[in-house]
Amino acid sequence: DGGITQSPKYLFRKEGQNVTLSCEQNLNHDAMYWYRQDPGQGLRLIYYSQIVNDFQKGDIAEGYSVSREKKESFPLTVTSAQKNPTAFYLCASSTLRTVGAYGYTFGSGTRLTVV
Amino acid sequence: EDQVTQSPEALRLQEGESSSLNCSYTVSGLRGLFWYRQDPGKGPEFLFTLYSAGEEKEKERLKATLTKKESFLHITAPKPEDSATYLCAVRGRSYAGGTSYGKLTFGQGTILTVHP
């Protein structure tokens, strides 16, 4: 079955450490997205990518970085510059055709905690 | 800028007690309003897409409706397994570098708890 796989499910980061969240999809979707979810604030867009080797900043990109070297993969790095990284991170994907039908397909999320 | 506001933030119901969740939106050229269900610690799952005012969609105990300014998710005779966070999102007419892309704007969600 096609879908989006996020790993790890739980991640703990020490102060000053960079960590990378993995997102892989086998849906052949062109676009991929990273969202951050905090209680009471809904989903906020961090970065998105429409094609390989191209990506754009979302609303809260500071302290984060991404790469899109393969169509299937869109890893997110949370850098030490992100002062409040504790949150639930969601990866999503779509095509221009499917986004009109049902929006995005989401992964199961990664919960990042600063220790 | 597209905006979505959901109310209430949290809703507690007794099993069988029907109610509605609200999603108010402002968008430039609505190209779809989406409802998702999200269980704790999981990603959102698609429920409905609505495109134009007056449209309605139903699935089991859920019914979504749309006007030009808001959408409602009606829950009829809810059961405890309906407990979840319900998210609303809109897709407007967004362009980046001249290419339309599928950016969704989400509300903050309504946490629904149904007690047996």
Side-chain angles (χ1 to χ4, degrees):
Chain A
D1 287 340
I4 299 180
T5 301
Q6 289 188 242
S7 62
K9 188 172 178 63
Y10 300 97
L11 186 58
F12 298 91
R13 192 194 93 167
K14 296 181 180 179
E15 295 283 352
Q17 190 179 45
N18 292 356
V19 291
T20 297
L21 284 60
S22 171
C23 178
E24 303 276 337
Q25 55 99 357
N26 60 2
L27 298 165
N28 199 33
H29 284 179
D30 301 302
M32 298 186 74
Y33 312 82
W34 274 106
Y35 282 88
R36 170 178 172 144
Q37 187 174 32
D38 296 282
Q41 294 197 46
L43 274 65
R44 292 184 290 167
L45 182 64
I46 304 172
Y47 269 97
Y48 64 93
S49 168
Q50 298 182 75
I51 57 173
V52 174
N53 292 323
D54 186 59
F55 48 83
Q56 305 295 329
K57 292 182 178 180
D59 302 318
I60 56 165
E62 184 175 353
Y64 300 97
S65 66
V66 294
S67 63
R68 187 86 185 275
E69 298 177 0
K70 299 186 301 181
K71 186 176 183 178
E72 301 79 15
S73 179
F74 192 40
L76 174 74
T77 296
V78 184
T79 75
S80 57
Q82 171 50 238
K83 299 306 178 186
N84 184 24
T86 295
F88 190 56
Y89 291 85
L90 285 164
C91 180
S93 71
S94 73
T95 67
L96 284 179
R97 178 180 62 82
T98 63
V99 70
Y102 55 81
Y104 300 156
T105 300
F106 286 91
S108 56
T110 292
R111 184 165 298 281
L112 174 63
T113 304
V114 174
V115 296
Chain B
E1 183 178 340
D2 301 341
Q3 290 187 328
V4 179
T5 302
Q6 292 186 245
S7 62
E9 292 186 9
L11 180 63
R12 293 176 176 270
L13 300 174
Q14 289 296 126
E15 184 172 3
E17 179 186 2
S18 301
S19 187
S20 297
L21 282 57
N22 177 264
C23 171
S24 297
Y25 65 91
T26 55
V27 64
S28 175
L30 181 68
R31 300 178 73 178
L33 183 141
F34 307 91
W35 282 99
Y36 294 88
R37 171 192 169 124
Q38 184 178 22
D39 292 307
K42 296 187 178 181
E45 293 184 348
F46 171 76
L47 290 173
F48 303 109
T49 305
L50 302 167
Y51 296 103
S52 57
E55 190 174 359
E56 299 181 353
K57 295 273 181 75
E58 285 190 67
K59 180 180 180 180
E60 296 181 353
R61 295 177 293 282
L62 300 176
K63 178 180 177 180
T65 62
L66 183 65
T67 72
K68 289 185 178 180
K69 294 183 178 180
E70 56 192 355
S71 176
F72 292 94
L73 185 65
H74 306 279
I75 303 177
T76 302
K79 298 181 178 181
E81 53 261 42
D82 294 322
S83 297
T85 296
Y86 290 86
L87 296 169
C88 172
V90 295
R91 178 185 179 223
R93 197 185 307 115
S94 301
Y95 294 89
T99 302
S100 174
Y101 69 93
K103 179 184 175 185
L104 271 60
T105 300
F106 288 83
Q108 74 275 33
T110 293
I111 303 171
L112 173 67
T113 305
V114 182
H115 297 283

